[in-house]
Amino acid sequence: MSPLSRSSLRRGITAAALTGALVLLSSCGSSGSSADAGPAQTRTVTTAEGPVEVPVDPQRIVVLNYALAGYLYDIDEPVVATTPEVTNTDGEYSEFWDEKAEAQGTEFLPWSNDGFDLEAVIASDPDLIIAGGLGFPGKHAADSYDRLQEIAPTVIVSGDRQTWQDQFAFIAGDVLGRQDDYDGFVRDYEKGVAEVRESIEVPAGEVSFLTLDKPESPYILIEGKSLSAELAPLGFTTAPLFERNDIDPYVAGGDMFGPSLETLPDVLDADTVFVVGFNSPKMTVAALEDRAPYDRVPAFETGQVYDLPYWALRADYDESRALLDLIENMFAKA
């Protein structure tokens, strides 16, 4: 190689090194610039447990409450796993989202009255965990929150969010940045409510909601919560039985309380009673009406008792839409 060639080569190397250094310095100097940093990869969600950094575009969501999974399917988010509706069971897809769950290959994670199977959660390799809600899922989420956070960013849906609107708005808007999609579902639902309200004749007096998974363990829904709140816009007024009786909710902040069998006829004195099986389609008016002490409950005596499907108890958006149709058929104006 000639001296000229070597000199040219050295100059080329020096120029390249200088250019690389300038690029590096430029990159370091602009690291605080949002214009050069690219789109955000996470968003901050405010929760009762504190702020949580969640991925903007999660690809592997685990939902540790069957009752919350439907919201994710409604807006086509990827649910890799959820818990069964009932503890210690294999699980079965809801009729309202079975096709989407099947297409996504959503798996069921084992859980019990004692808590979630954290090893199974780890094996699902989530990049986002959504937990909480009402009942045992909410309690288990609170109990295992720190351990869940070690697995993946975990957002707990507060038990104070007891209507599908509150739950869906939080999950779609706050957690996933899909507020516009949620607003569309609300508009559709409110249109349905207005149509049903005009087409039905609500029974006179006050109503109440009896829920149970076996005759020996009756519970009454607390007025203004869950199903009670859902039917209020249609013109149903829930009797303030919780307010009138000195009985604690079944769990702190819960949506139901449990009178004893002996006091049930005195406590459950609403003009109309809806019977809703607790995670069970077996508890119906027909199964209870000839059985003590239900046969002494005023509404049973007058025949002002109606069945509602078990999924109406803590209904998500799809179930609430289906419930509108049931109420319309049940109380249609003559």
Side-chain angles (χ1 to χ4, degrees), residues 211-274:
T211 184
L212 60 174
D213 62 355
K214 54 186 177 181
E216 297 78 18
S217 303
Y219 289 90
I220 298 172
L221 293 190
I222 297 173
E223 54 270 16
K225 296 191 175 188
S226 55
L227 183 53
S228 170
E230 198 66 31
L231 293 191
L234 297 176
F236 294 88
T237 301
T238 304
L241 304 186
F242 179 69
E243 180 183 336
R244 293 205 301 252
N245 293 275
D246 186 21
I247 304 174
D248 292 331
Y250 81 107
V251 65
D255 59 343
M256 61 181 72
F257 66 101
S260 66
L261 281 173
E262 293 74 20
T263 63
L264 183 65
D266 295 321
V267 174
L268 188 57
D269 61 357
D271 303 284
T272 297
V273 169
F274 290 99

Side-chain angles (χ1 to χ4, degrees), residues 29-72:
S30 64
S31 62
S33 170
S34 60
D36 296 332
Q41 300 302 306
T42 64
R43 69 165 50 85
T44 303
V45 180
T46 301
T47 74
E49 292 72 31
V52 180
E53 291 292 320
V54 304
V56 169
D57 185 26
Q59 298 298 306
R60 298 186 61 82
I61 302 175
V62 164
V63 184
L64 296 179
N65 186 341
Y66 183 96
L68 301 177
Y71 304 124
L72 282 299

Side-chain angles (χ1 to χ4, degrees), residues 9 38 61 63 107 112 126 128 137-138 161 172 195 198 236 291 298:
L9 179 61
I61 302 175
V63 184
E107 298 182 348
S112 70
L128 174 63
R161 301 179 184 275
E195 292 173 350
E198 292 299 317
F236 294 88
R291 184 187 185 109

